[in-house]
Amino acid sequence: MSDDVTLMQNILTESDKIAEGIGEALASRGIYAINLIGAPGAGKTSAIIRILKHLPGVKAYVVEGDITSDIDTQTLTALGIEAIQLNTGGACHIDVSLLKTTLDALKPEKPGLLFIENIGNLVCPAEFGIGERDKVLIVTAADGSDKPYKYPLAFEKAAAIIVNKADLMPYVDFDMDYFMRGVRALNQDAPVFVASARTGQGFAEVAEWISGRM
Amino acid sequence: MSDDVTLMQNILTESDKIAEGIGEALASRGIYAINLIGAPGAGKTSAIIRILKHLPGVKAYVVEGDITSDIDTQTLTALGIEAIQLNTGGACHIDVSLLKTTLDALKPEKPGLLFIENIGNLVCPAEFGIGERDKVLIVTAADGSDKPYKYPLAFEKAAAIIVNKADLMPYVDFDMDYFMRGVRALNQDAPVFVASARTGQGFAEVAEWISGRM
């Protein structure tokens, strides 16, 4: 097994170097990059749209990560948002080599904000840095309040946490105290925003937090 | 890269052999095994509970797959269901070696039904057979109707599909026609059950389908 381990370590070191290069290139252009992580259907694209409505003066770019399809990129470009599709073809998270190629095609030059919407998955995307300044985690009221206990790494690494679909709170059993105890056991600092991409609730606050980080 | 590829092929062949062994051992004891796949918060454990209520005469076993925690195993054992925890410690799907060890501990001997609840993830668990007879996919009304287009493999490989949280349909934009077109482009045969673990709707039909497969 030692050959496997060495091989994995070499691959990881190489990936870390590429991630570092992406981070430096973006920082040198004054671009603040968010690695947006959430399960399938958490509302990642809808959240991006809501956030950007509150940041009209900010130049924004979006890399849309999906296994396949370009549904979300079509939605974003129809709204005039500069977006590019990244299809992993099966891989469960965005890999830095593919991201580098995608960014070479997108060519973000002006200072501003870059969302890298990762694959819908609470597990793999949390494990890898891809050159972002911050990971932002989006979960939903419909998914239940036990998520921090079951998917701790994503909560541990998040710079901010959005609890989306708050409009469904009256119809589901979401125990906010239990959720927050789970979050705070893993992460003492990340702000937690209760929000709804459907109604718009909470996204002014998310946008304000992002402005403060830029 | 050819060394990497050969290494991966060897690992996969070894895994396939273990999966085959698990499948044969279960079949020889008259145990029908379901690999239950769904995103975080899809309601996999709640679905198992609802299904088993409709199968009172059936001997049931559950392997509860999670990254960490034993919340769901506690819930099941409190209800008198024979369940055992399998923690992957980070891995994004249940691996056959770990499943074999877990089944050695669970010792399912009597003919009946085994649920293997996979890690909450629509990507990785769909890629690997783990000795099951059928993969059953559970998605939710809250997660949106575009899932077949974005996570095709899980839909392609499913022997049955449950659309859970149907009680939330009045409060979300779930387009059933668009969903079904996506499903049928990938999978012509799997029955699709509209269900709610909250109200119980649809689970008698799921249980009846399972009975027919045993």
Side-chain angles (χ1 to χ4, degrees):
Chain A
M1 282 298 286
S2 71
D3 275 1
D4 303 19
V5 172
T6 311
L7 182 68
M8 278 307 290
Q9 281 171 341
N10 290 344
I11 293 171
L12 284 179
T13 310
E14 188 56 34
S15 294
D16 287 345
K17 272 186 212 156
I18 299 172
E20 213 175 282
I22 292 173
E24 282 167 7
L26 293 171
S28 73
R29 293 175 211 157
I31 296 169
Y32 166 64
I34 287 176
N35 181 355
L36 186 60
I37 294 174
K44 294 180 285 301
T45 309
S46 309
I48 291 171
I49 293 168
R50 282 287 184 186
I51 290 165
L52 292 182
K53 277 189 186 161
H54 291 284
L55 299 171
V58 171
K59 174 65 198 166
Y61 309 92
V62 181
V63 171
E64 263 300 326
D66 281 294
I67 302 280
T68 183
S69 95
D70 64 349
I71 297 172
D72 293 336
T73 298
Q74 284 185 30
T75 306
L76 292 168
T77 50
L79 292 167
I81 297 167
E82 195 169 334
I84 190 166
Q85 189 67 41
L86 180 159
N87 284 140
T88 66
C92 62
H93 64 98
I94 290 181
D95 153 273
V96 281
S97 304
L98 206 50
L99 179 60
K100 191 173 179 308
T101 311
T102 307
L103 288 173
D104 288 346
L106 179 66
K107 289 195 194 13
E109 298 288 351
K110 293 183 192 163
L113 169 61
L114 168 67
F115 281 104
I116 306 162
E117 185 183 320
N118 220 313
I119 301 304
N121 188 330
L122 274 192
V123 186
C124 318
E127 294 172 32
F128 305 95
I130 53 175
E132 75 275 1
R133 272 265 306 284
D134 285 322
K135 287 186 175 72
V136 171
L137 174 64
I138 180 161
V139 294
T140 88
D143 291 341
S145 34
D146 58 359
K147 295 298 152 288
Y149 304 90
K150 291 182 173 175
Y151 305 88
L153 192 66
F155 287 87
E156 200 183 307
K157 296 227 175 157
I161 297 163
I162 301 169
V163 183
N164 193 21
K165 308 197 187 180
D167 56 292
L168 295 179
M169 289 275 186
Y171 316 111
V172 297
D173 303 312
F174 191 89
D175 181 337
M176 187 56 86
D177 288 341
Y178 180 62
F179 177 78
M180 286 305 298
R181 280 200 304 279
V183 170
R184 289 300 172 230
L186 298 160
N187 187 325
Q188 283 77 56
D189 302 321
V192 174
F193 300 101
V194 176
S196 165
R198 194 179 171 91
T199 67
Q201 179 197 335
F203 282 103
E205 290 77 7
V206 177
E208 201 187 334
W209 177 84
I210 288 174
S211 284
R213 301 284 296 170
M214 287 180 72
Chain B
M1 284 297 287
S2 72
D3 275 1
D4 303 19
V5 172
T6 310
L7 182 68
M8 278 306 291
Q9 281 172 338
N10 290 344
I11 292 171
L12 284 180
T13 310
E14 187 57 33
S15 294
D16 287 344
K17 271 186 213 156
I18 299 172
E20 212 175 283
I22 291 172
E24 281 167 7
L26 292 171
S28 73
R29 293 176 212 156
I31 297 169
Y32 167 65
I34 287 177
N35 181 356
L36 186 60
I37 294 175
K44 294 180 286 301
T45 309
S46 310
I48 290 171
I49 293 169
R50 283 287 185 186
I51 291 165
L52 292 183
K53 276 189 187 160
H54 291 283
L55 299 171
V58 171
K59 174 67 197 165
Y61 309 91
V62 181
V63 171
E64 263 299 326
D66 282 294
I67 302 280
T68 183
S69 95
D70 64 349
I71 297 171
D72 293 336
T73 298
Q74 284 185 30
T75 305
L76 292 168
T77 49
L79 292 167
I81 297 166
E82 194 169 337
I84 190 166
Q85 189 66 41
L86 180 160
N87 284 141
T88 66
C92 61
H93 65 98
I94 289 181
D95 154 270
V96 280
S97 303
L98 205 50
L99 178 61
K100 191 173 179 309
T101 312
T102 307
L103 288 173
D104 288 347
L106 179 67
K107 290 195 193 15
E109 299 288 351
K110 292 182 193 163
L113 169 62
L114 168 66
F115 282 105
I116 307 162
E117 185 184 319
N118 220 312
I119 303 303
N121 187 330
L122 275 191
V123 187
C124 319
E127 294 172 32
F128 305 94
I130 52 175
E132 75 273 2
R133 272 267 304 284
D134 285 322
K135 287 185 176 72
V136 171
L137 175 64
I138 178 163
V139 294
T140 87
D143 291 342
S145 34
D146 58 0
K147 296 298 151 292
Y149 303 90
K150 291 183 173 176
Y151 305 88
L153 192 66
F155 287 86
E156 199 184 307
K157 296 227 175 158
I161 297 163
I162 301 169
V163 182
N164 195 21
K165 308 195 187 182
D167 55 293
L168 295 178
M169 289 274 185
Y171 316 111
V172 296
D173 304 312
F174 190 90
D175 181 337
M176 187 57 84
D177 288 341
Y178 179 62
F179 177 79
M180 286 306 298
R181 279 200 304 278
V183 170
R184 288 298 171 231
L186 298 160
N187 187 326
Q188 283 76 56
D189 303 318
V192 174
F193 300 101
V194 176
S196 166
R198 195 180 172 89
T199 67
Q201 177 197 335
F203 281 102
E205 291 77 6
V206 177
E208 201 186 334
W209 177 84
I210 288 174
S211 283
R213 300 285 295 170
M214 287 180 72

